[in-house]
Amino acid sequence: MKIELIDFDLKGDERGSLIAIEANKNIPFDIKRVYYIFATKLNVVRGKHAHKKLKQVAVTVHGSCKILLDDGQEQKEITLNSPNLGLVIREMIWREMYDFSEDCVLLVLASEGYDENDYIRVHEEFMELVEK
Ligand code: TYD
C-alpha cells in the first residue's frame, strides 16, 4: 500500500505561519464536508471503519495522533504530528485513529457529505468486499 502524504506549502513570514487548503489544488477532490476531532480522551480508538466511496484528507493541525490504514492486504501505521502534512485516505481503506495527544486537533476534509450508508463498520464485511 502506497501512503499518500501531501506536503502543504508553508507560507511563513516574521508574523508566523499560514497554510492554505484548496479543493482540487492541494487536495485531490472537491471538499464537501469538514470536521475536526479534538479533546479526545486517553486510550480512545476512533474510526474502525472504511468507506465505500468517500475520500478524505486528515491533518493534525495541532498535536499528534497515529493512524492505522488497512487495504485488506497490508496494514501501515502513520504518525501525524505536523500541520504541514495531509494524509490521503482513499475509499475502501479501513482506518483506526489512536494515541491522540491531549492537545490534538485532527482536521478531516471529506469528498462527500455525511452518509451512514457509505460506512463499512464490520472488518469481516470490509475483507469480503475487498476480496471481491
Ligand atoms: P464517528 O463516525 O463515530 O467518528 P469517528 O470516525 O471518529 O469514529 O462519529 C461520531 C458521531 O458524529 C456520530 O454520531 C456520527 C456523527 N457525525 C456526523 O454527524 N457528521 C460527520 O461528518 C461525522 C464524521 C460524524
Side-chain angles (χ1 to χ4, degrees):
M1 185 190 355
K2 205 177 110 232
I3 298 300
E4 289 176 74
L5 284 167
I6 304 167
D7 201 353
F8 296 123
D9 200 9
L10 184 64
K11 321 269 183 194
D13 58 30
E14 65 289 347
R15 296 169 298 169
S17 304
L18 183 153
I19 285 172
I21 287 178
E22 214 170 323
N24 297 308
K25 292 219 172 138
N26 53 4
I27 300 297
F29 48 75
D30 266 332
I31 300 166
K32 297 222 179 113
R33 175 169 52 112
V34 174
Y35 63 92
Y36 39 99
I37 291 169
F38 59 100
T40 308
K41 306 282 188 228
L42 210 63
N43 299 322
V44 162
V45 182
R46 299 202 64 125
K48 289 179 155 273
H49 62 255
H51 287 281
K52 295 173 200 161
K53 235 181 99 186
L54 184 75
K55 298 179 183 64
Q56 297 185 311
V57 171
V59 186
T60 47
V61 290
H62 199 247
S64 66
C65 73
K66 287 181 184 152
I67 303 188
L68 178 99
L69 297 183
D70 173 0
D71 65 0
Q73 295 196 310
E74 222 187 323
Q75 297 193 336
K76 283 206 174 142
E77 185 189 73
I78 298 97
T79 301
L80 278 184
N81 57 11
S82 162
N84 302 10
L85 282 182
L87 175 67
V88 181
I89 309 175
R90 297 207 173 259
E91 63 273 39
M92 291 306 286
I93 298 287
W94 185 269
R95 87 290 311 274
E96 299 183 7
M97 296 90 85
Y98 46 92
D99 283 0
F100 287 86
S101 64
E102 225 175 275
D103 60 351
C104 181
V105 182
L106 180 65
L107 175 76
V108 183
L109 312 165
S111 66
E112 306 293 335
Y114 182 70
D115 176 10
E116 189 51 45
N117 293 322
D118 190 60
Y119 279 76
I120 307 162
R121 292 196 182 274
V122 179
H123 195 261
E124 290 74 40
E125 273 173 36
F126 166 70
M127 290 305 295
E128 276 170 31
L129 286 169
V130 167
E131 279 157 15
K132 263 190 210 160

